[in-house]
Amino acid sequence: MVRLAVVGLGKMGLSHYAMINAHPDVKVEAVCDSTGYVLDVLNKYTGVRTYTDFDVMLRDIELDAVIIATPSRSHGQMVEVALNENLHVFCEKPFCLDITEGERLARIAAERGLVNQVGYHNRFVGAFQEVKRLLDAGAIGAVTHVLAEAYGPVVLKPKGSTWRTQRTEGGGCLYDYAAHPINLVNWYLGAPQSVGGSVLNKIFSKDTEDEVFSTLYYEEGKSVQISVNWSDESYRKMTTKVTIWGTQGRIYADRQECQVYIRDGVNIPAGYQRGWNVRYTTDLTEAVWFYLRGEEYSAQLDYFVRCIEEKEGGGNINSFEEAVITDRVMSMMVADAEKRPPVTSGIAPRQAPGKKFGLLFGGRKAVS
Amino acid sequence: MDRLLFGDNQFFGVNHMSEEKARAQMMRFQDLTAVIDVLDNAYDEGVTSFMCTTHDRIAMVCDHMRSNPQRYKDFQFLPCMPYAHKYANAVTEDGMIGALKRFLPEEGIVNAALRGGMSLARKDIEGITTLLVDAEMKMFAGLNTPVIFLQNVVVDLLLGLDFKAAFRIFADHIKSRYNAEPGFITMNMPKLLDALEEVGIENPIVCANINKIGFRMCGGFEAYERALDEKKFRAIAMSVFASGAVPPREAIEWVCQQPNIQAIVFGASSKTNIRNTKSLVEEFWRIN
């Protein structure tokens, strides 16, 4: 039986708590949140032990593991305290806003042989796992280009602030939304050599970006286009998708299905044929012990528990080390977007009557 | 309760198989008359119970039914609440407490405001829950709502949290205030049945995925079979076609052979599919 505590009871924390609490091999010893309201309600109606202070909880209770789902800015410090207490740690994404901190934590976790995992649940979506399998099998030959996208209706009007609307707190479209397709790309292709053409643009938000575009460059001319917008209400809910072109075919995948076109390749996997192939979520998804909002959320927590039971720290799916790669790509994109455009036409944009060009071009001055 | 219930996923771009199909449906049903046309088809085929979310657009369907009482006198709404996206988005914007405040009635009935404010202050879930239910039920005023469901996102969240008291609060309020039967939608049927039994909800109406291939039947196929065989409850089977993975005839034949299933809920966009499903159910269940 794994003894565990959940820290941070926002939307993600609460659903992690519900899923892990239903896990047959887990006993949730306590929950912890900085605000007392939700804690009091939970304690009153379910009897769970509650804490508002992380350190006090760790002093009071014997634990094997923690799930940390606090606002991103506090991840680093809390993860470090937990690792120093020899606890296995599942941390929500993005991992650390400071990359050197993230690298250090990955090192500590590895040295101590503790299971460490970050909540990039897309790696547990059947269709995205199938993409990985196909790429590893060489089904579409050598990859030449990837388009990785995420769209959804989160920020649809100017509005008040929570931690999610502040870049410094780890909020914003980049860390909240773009992190997912970037992480998938890192899984499929590894870390890029460089990034360019990054645009972090505001649409409605005051303190952070609402759309993210960037190019990731890999060896031998291979490239990845990232296109993300969380102010797109033509999508009912968050939709992440990847399209991958290779010398022998093409793969498209989203949460529901995996469509594969295979040319006259030599590495056609069993069950696939030349031309079009479609695999649906019903074929690709394995059953979970408890369902809330999608199998992938339960599957990633179950994986965490199994790693603890089998004492497999390090090298696991979504390890800290891997999450740091995603953090690094995001910080490269921030740095890239803050640079001036390297190549300009030399033509000053003409002001069209009644239109504000400054808004369209993010207020940048043209450089001649 | 009718044996065949009409669902509303197709109207709102919910398709568990394909994003493309979901979007095409969203475009098609953007116009309310397209929704009404399909509901009319179902109604004329004798499928008169509509299991629907409390989406804003359902309020317009309600208006339409209210303005044609003769035409729709046998029409029954089976509301499923809350409309989860509305709350999820609000929580993202305003935080948990902010979102709650947003949905509690602020003005109008002084009584409700007091009930809401006091309940929030006392952390009294009963007061908050009943107010939220009342807010969601407003759109159905004057219409038939024999069964009122709690949506699976909420049921399964509460179930995971071990927050069983909430099921009882919901059930009691639905019975006393709306003279209706409470229903529970879940992806974790065996575990939910145990929880409902524990809080004394007898012979509950439980809607869950029940299909031949075990798709999204959490807790395992055998546990579902055992529960259907041994437990006293009224099951509504949803996702019987497992998002299209099981052919219609095979799917309905299998479901109709299972014990304890009171109804099937299905979604369809065409008259032909509605008619085909109806005739398959009649063939295998020998109803009407």
Side-chain angles (χ1 to χ4, degrees), chain A residues 9-11 14-15 17-19 21-22 36-38 40-42 44-46 153-157 159-162 164 176 233-241 252 254-257 259 280-283 285 287-296, chain B residues 12-21 23 26 83 85 88-89 91-97 100 102 119-126 128 152-154 156-157 159-165 169 187-188 191 213-219 242-243 245:
Chain A
L9 292 175
K11 199 165 73 177
L14 209 54
S15 63
Y17 172 34
M19 286 181 275
N21 193 41
Y37 195 91
V38 177
D40 290 347
V41 172
L42 283 175
K44 181 173 169 185
Y45 289 93
T46 75
V154 179
V155 177
L156 301 174
K157 55 177 189 274
K159 60 185 158 199
S161 72
T162 68
R164 286 182 191 278
D176 222 37
E233 69 174 332
S234 71
Y235 286 83
R236 191 176 65 88
K237 59 179 186 176
M238 185 184 187
T239 300
T240 304
K241 42 192 177 183
Y252 167 85
D254 57 36
R255 196 177 166 276
Q256 324 279 15
E257 61 182 326
Q259 302 174 348
Y280 291 106
T281 173
T282 37
D283 310 323
T285 307
V288 291
W289 83 95
F290 187 79
Y291 182 102
L292 183 67
R293 301 172 57 210
E295 283 86 358
E296 60 273 26
Chain B
F12 299 114
V14 182
N15 186 301
H16 298 298
M17 206 131 169
S18 156
E19 299 271 355
E20 282 167 47
K21 281 183 199 153
R23 189 164 44 242
M26 234 172 156
Y83 181 60
H85 284 292
N89 290 344
V91 169
T92 312
E93 286 171 20
D94 295 342
M96 204 93 65
I97 304 300
L100 261 182
R102 192 200 292 193
S119 299
L120 261 183
R122 283 206 312 260
K123 292 156 188 165
D124 161 21
I125 287 302
E126 185 152 358
I128 297 169
N152 55 297
V153 175
V154 175
D156 292 332
L157 178 72
L159 183 65
L161 296 175
D162 252 335
F163 206 140
K164 296 172 205 137
I169 292 167
M187 296 287 168
N188 307 282
K191 191 175 167 70
I213 61 165
F215 177 57
R216 288 207 175 130
M217 291 165 64
C218 295
S243 293

Side-chain angles (χ1 to χ4, degrees), chain A residues 80 83 99-109:
Chain A
E80 180 151 20
L83 291 176
I99 294 150
T100 50
E101 187 179 37
E103 284 170 342
R104 191 163 49 81
L105 296 174
R107 219 168 30 242
I108 298 174

Side-chain angles (χ1 to χ4, degrees), chain A residues 140-296:
Chain A
I140 59 162
V143 171
T144 61
H145 184 68
V146 176
L147 171 62
E149 304 163 273
Y151 308 106
V154 179
V155 177
L156 301 174
K157 55 177 189 274
K159 60 185 158 199
S161 72
T162 68
W163 70 269
R164 286 182 191 278
T165 62
Q166 311 279 327
R167 165 83 67 71
T168 49
E169 297 285 314
C173 181
L174 176 64
Y175 285 115
D176 222 37
Y177 249 51
H180 287 292
I182 294 168
N183 180 269
L184 276 178
V185 165
N186 295 154
W187 192 33
Y188 297 148
L189 303 184
Q193 290 176 330
S194 59
V195 310
S198 305
V199 176
L200 304 184
N201 193 37
K202 290 172 182 159
I203 301 172
F204 299 114
S205 294
K206 255 201 335 270
D207 301 310
T208 189
E209 70 288 332
D210 298 313
E211 56 180 7
V212 175
F213 308 105
S214 187
T215 306
L216 316 186
Y217 298 102
Y218 287 77
E219 72 285 356
E220 294 164 1
K222 192 163 50 181
S223 64
V224 175
Q225 217 76 53
I226 302 285
S227 174
V228 178
N229 180 334
W230 76 356
S231 299
D232 183 351
E233 69 174 332
S234 71
Y235 286 83
R236 191 176 65 88
K237 59 179 186 176
M238 185 184 187
T239 300
T240 304
K241 42 192 177 183
V242 288
T243 313
I244 305 176
W245 286 265
T247 51
Q248 297 297 338
R250 190 183 77 135
I251 304 174
Y252 167 85
D254 57 36
R255 196 177 166 276
Q256 324 279 15
E257 61 182 326
C258 186
Q259 302 174 348
V260 190
Y261 186 87
I262 300 180
R263 287 178 58 198
D264 47 354
V266 283
N267 296 319
I268 298 179
Y272 280 80
Q273 59 180 10
R274 274 185 197 183
W276 281 108
N277 300 263
V278 187
R279 294 286 179 280
Y280 291 106
T281 173
T282 37
D283 310 323
L284 300 169
T285 307
E286 281 183 37
V288 291
W289 83 95
F290 187 79
Y291 182 102
L292 183 67
R293 301 172 57 210
E295 283 86 358
E296 60 273 26

